[in-house]
Amino acid sequence: MFSNQNKGKIALISVHGDPAVEIGKEEAGGQNVYVRCCGEALAKQGWQVDLFTRKASPDQENIVVHSPNCRTIRLNAGPEAFIGRDELFGYLPEFVESFKQFQEREGTLYPIIHTNYWLSSWVGMQLRKSQLLKLVHTYHSLGAIKYKSVSTIPLVAKTRLEVEKACLETADCIVATSPQEEEHMRTYVSEKGNIKVIPCGTNIERFGSVRREVARDKLQLSPDDRVVLYVGRFDPRKGIETAVRAVSHLSSERKAQLKLMIAGGWTPGEKDGEERDRIGQLTQALGIENNVQFVGRLDHTVLPTYYAAADVCVVPSHYEPFGLVAIEAMACGTPVIASNVGGLKFTVIPEETGLLAPPKDDRAFAEAIDRILADPQWRSQLGEQARSRVEAKFSWDGVASQLGELYGDSIQQLTTEFFKHHFAG
Ligand code: UDP
């Protein structure tokens, strides 16, 4: 249902995470889904939403219309080619210019700019220097946390940390997607600044639309097959290695029935292709290649079938500010075994909707998988409770209502400030 109300214009900026591209490959994951789904849900509620990103190929259209009142606009900033996020900073002034030109062409000024990831926050802070607007920001990932866990720190790290701090301290509102993320901002970034917790969401009609029996039939699984599912990008920090090693620790009786399905795309020769090769070699070295199936990138029309067919979904990330995959699986009635980190501690309630285990601890993951697979009745109960938790807390419509309220309040403040500025005294 679309609302007839016109609540106002919003620009969501996601310089490197294009909301209109295929999800599930390198550089295209949760952020892209967040921007696109928030945009569509907000548009349904009466906002006029434009999603801005960088044009990364001459084949890409400049404007993609997703639904009434929601479109992606691709702006020029640097060459029309893929540029990794760590190399994008130098092109941001051009992005700011392109954004301003777009506003001029359309004869509009966006009163609310909601930026995503630190690169876009820099764009937002620049725009605020020359026009009246309220700046809302979602980090998606914090440099201060990320750089603790990677072996090579990119050149841009110092700039990123400075920009993240400046943004937290000066933006009108920071949206933390979990209380854990808020705590991390306070501990590692700054005590100053205004934070509001509004979680990520999922499409609860889509995720949860396929019954388990139907899904298992579709995937041609026998009643005895036990499926552990991983969904996500091939990135070492996603911890696929932990899932693979966990499977190798299971008893031979358990392994005789077990499939570890790994969903996610990769490009040979790119970083995600290297991780895919590494994981493939690991399964061979551990002698479990027959238990592991690489099912490739799956889109959101088929993912509900995989989630519903699975006995358990694993999210073994080393760190996760939120982790959409966990709530997608839960929405499909599948319990989740996740790392005991970040937003996963918020979404997964241990012993109620799944289990938590320390990151990189493959023995603990193995034990958790074994516990759930050993008790199908408990598994179903965890799955039902998982679905209820997502319905209550994590629908996109619910998330969009909370964001809408924040934008509404911000517009009101902006109007008050405008009148004070122009008519005071
Ligand atoms: N995804 C997908 N197809 C795949 C693999 C992943 O559509 O083959 C989607 C997944 O459904 C989820 C997103 O990519 O919506 C990943 O988001 P998450 O927050 O879990 O991780 P991120 O990519 O942000 O690290």
Side-chain angles (χ1 to χ4, degrees), residues 315-318 337-345 350 355-359 365:
V315 186
S317 314
H318 300 172
I337 299 175
S339 297
N340 188 6
V341 294
L344 297 169
K345 289 200 282 189
L355 291 170
L356 292 175
F365 270 84

Side-chain angles (χ1 to χ4, degrees), residues 165-422:
K165 185 162 185 281
C167 177
L168 173 51
E169 293 182 346
T170 63
D172 295 286
C173 187
I174 301 291
V175 173
T177 52
S178 64
Q180 287 74 10
E181 197 191 3
E182 177 180 20
E183 203 185 302
H184 283 145
M185 287 174 199
R186 288 295 180 227
T187 313
Y188 300 110
V189 185
S190 178
E191 294 270 313
K192 292 191 211 134
N194 181 27
I195 304 176
K196 196 173 162 76
V197 178
I198 301 180
C200 291
T202 194
N203 181 334
I204 57 170
E205 284 83 35
R206 168 167 277 168
F207 291 104
S209 59
V210 187
R211 280 209 345 266
R212 178 170 160 82
E213 301 71 40
V214 175
R216 290 181 71 92
D217 257 14
K218 263 198 185 154
L219 301 187
Q220 301 181 330
L221 296 167
S222 80
D224 289 338
D225 284 332
R226 292 290 167 262
V227 176
V228 175
L229 177 68
Y230 166 87
V231 177
R233 293 174 294 115
F234 278 95
D235 179 325
R237 281 166 301 137
K238 284 285 177 183
I240 309 176
E241 173 172 351
T242 308
V244 168
R245 288 191 186 276
V247 166
S248 77
H249 296 316
L250 298 173
S251 68
S252 28
E253 294 83 56
R254 184 69 74 216
K255 273 192 286 209
Q257 301 173 319
L258 190 122
K259 282 188 205 306
L260 170 62
M261 289 190 181
I262 300 182
W266 68 86
T267 311
E270 298 287 339
K271 274 199 193 137
D272 53 5
E274 284 168 23
E275 178 65 356
R276 158 69 181 84
D277 292 346
R278 192 179 75 87
I279 297 296
Q281 284 155 14
L282 182 66
T283 62
Q284 280 169 9
L286 296 170
I288 55 161
E289 63 271 33
N290 293 334
N291 292 105
V292 180
Q293 225 176 308
F294 293 93
V295 293
R297 194 189 80 82
L298 304 174
D299 70 25
H300 280 194
T301 58
V302 289
L303 265 174
T305 302
Y306 280 78
Y307 284 126
D311 291 276
V312 66
C313 177
V314 279
V315 186
S317 314
H318 300 172
Y319 180 70
E320 202 67 75
F322 186 81
L324 283 176
V325 164
I327 56 168
E328 290 167 4
M330 285 163 60
C332 295
T334 302
V336 172
I337 299 175
S339 297
N340 188 6
V341 294
L344 297 169
K345 289 200 282 189
F346 172 51
T347 47
V348 180
I349 310 272
E351 311 287 336
E352 195 182 308
T353 68
L355 291 170
L356 292 175
K360 302 185 196 169
D361 188 340
D362 33 81
R363 296 265 170 202
F365 270 84
E367 202 181 302
I369 293 171
D370 200 54
R371 264 188 76 196
I372 294 186
L373 295 188
D375 189 344
Q377 213 179 332
W378 185 49
R379 193 214 77 87
S380 304
Q381 195 190 336
L382 291 171
E384 277 166 31
Q385 289 163 185
R387 169 77 196 175
S388 305
R389 178 160 174 75
V390 176
E391 279 175 8
K393 291 241 170 208
F394 305 120
S395 73
W396 279 128
D397 290 337
V399 170
S401 301
Q402 293 181 60
L403 285 174
E405 215 171 288
L406 168 65
Y407 299 152
D409 291 348
S410 303
I411 289 180
Q412 213 157 25
Q413 271 176 27
L414 200 65
T415 316
T416 314
E417 282 165 22
F418 178 81
F419 279 107
K420 254 198 200 152
H421 184 76
H422 287 275

